[in-house]
Amino acid sequence: MNEISPVTQATAKAPKTLTLPDAQVVTSVKHYTDRLFAFRVTRPASLRFRSGEFVMIGLMQTDEKTGLEKPLLRAYSIASPSWDDELEFYSIKVPDGPLTSRLQNIQPGDEIILRPKPVGTLVHDALLPGKRLWFFATGTGIAPFASLLRDPQTYEDYDDIILTHTCREVGELTYGAELIESIRSDEMLEELIGEGFADKLRYYPTTTREQSPKMGRITDLLRSGAVFTDLGVAPLSPETDRAMVCGNLAFNLEIKALLEGYGLREGANSDPKEYVVEKAFLD
């Protein structure tokens, strides 16, 4: 694999006094590429969420018409598992984005706004029981799966878990590669879930622009059957397979059609089926 882009990281302790509404304090920031970064913040003591859900986070901005300060918020999947004492987020950097153009400059000790009302469809409750679970992600769409992959229920409910992650360049796969490595070597998770739990986990990264060991869009690799051949597994089946999808809108629509072609049906919290898509997240 090509050389991974260097990362930068910083940490700090939370200050005692908070000034923003629904404020939480940034505890660490890590930049992966010129387009991607992750950060962690303090967790509200009262916040309860299911792994895979998202919350609204943001910063204050000045209204051009009134001159008044108001919150600028966007939906962000929580990348940390429900048992973590901090909250982790994984974000893209958009140079002219109203929020991300500013959010990418946060430092440890800064405050962000976090509305503690988690919601989302990428939760275990939205799927019927199955044997094999697929996580289909593009770009920062891996964030909710970073949460679910560190949740004991994922390994209790399924015999096999497959994470596919498609990005344009090799450096954009760093977050996912580090995630999988940390899970496989995490002694606390092994104590929580049981010895050998990580043997259930398979990782299938691909790139679409920069050369890597596996090239191609995951949708094309599904159509050709290459993903099943590469992994040595049977094709998708509604009797055994469950899937979660998170990526850009075009990807979501394309993979929905593919999953339904295999006989899988879209589910929801109120009506569990064989697959779910995070509609609120756009890569």
Side-chain angles (χ1 to χ4, degrees), residues 212-263:
S212 71
K214 191 64 187 181
M215 300 287 296
R217 300 165 68 242
I218 189 62
T219 47
D220 291 338
L221 296 168
L222 282 168
R223 286 192 190 90
S224 69
V227 61
F228 308 121
T229 301
D230 292 341
L231 293 171
V233 300
L236 289 155
S237 165
E239 285 73 35
T240 57
D241 291 279
R242 303 296 176 259
M244 294 186 179
V245 181
C246 192
N248 59 63
L249 180 58
F251 169 75
N252 288 353
L253 293 173
E254 187 176 2
I255 205 159
K256 272 167 55 77
L258 284 169
L259 293 175
E260 291 178 5
Y262 282 105

Side-chain angles (χ1 to χ4, degrees), residues 169-210:
E169 301 172 355
V170 173
E172 296 172 349
L173 295 172
T174 307
Y175 179 86
E178 289 184 351
L179 169 70
I180 296 301
E181 183 180 356
S182 68
I183 290 172
R184 288 175 172 159
S185 60
D186 194 315
E187 294 180 357
M188 186 182 72
L189 278 178
E190 187 169 69
E191 184 175 335
L192 282 172
I193 305 170
E195 186 177 353
F197 80 95
D199 294 340
K200 293 184 175 184
L201 177 58
R202 302 187 189 207
Y203 175 47
Y204 193 78
T206 71
T207 56
T208 57
R209 294 188 183 177
E210 186 178 5

Side-chain angles (χ1 to χ4, degrees), residues 60-71:
M60 297 297 290
Q61 71 169 0
T62 302
D63 188 288
E64 294 182 357
K65 294 182 179 179
T66 65
L68 299 175
E69 290 284 301
K70 66 177 184 180

Side-chain angles (χ1 to χ4, degrees), residues 105-171:
N105 296 317
I106 58 173
Q107 298 291 326
D110 290 348
E111 296 177 21
I112 67 163
I113 301 168
L114 188 151
R115 295 286 164 81
K117 296 181 179 179
V119 292
T121 57
L122 300 181
V123 293
H124 288 300
D125 294 341
L127 294 176
L128 294 171
K131 294 183 178 180
R132 187 171 59 183
L133 178 61
W134 295 78
F135 293 134
F136 294 107
T138 60
T140 53
I142 193 176
F145 305 143
S147 176
L148 286 155
L149 284 168
R150 290 178 280 190
D151 189 319
Q153 185 179 348
T154 301
Y155 302 89
E156 294 166 1
D157 289 355
Y158 296 93
D159 297 330
D160 295 289
I161 301 101
I162 300 172
L163 169 67
T164 79
H165 189 204
T166 300
C167 295
R168 295 184 300 182
E169 301 172 355
V170 173

Side-chain angles (χ1 to χ4, degrees), residues 13-26:
K13 294 183 179 180
K16 294 181 180 180
T17 304
L18 303 178
T19 59
L20 294 181
D22 291 318
Q24 296 302 316
V25 180
V26 178

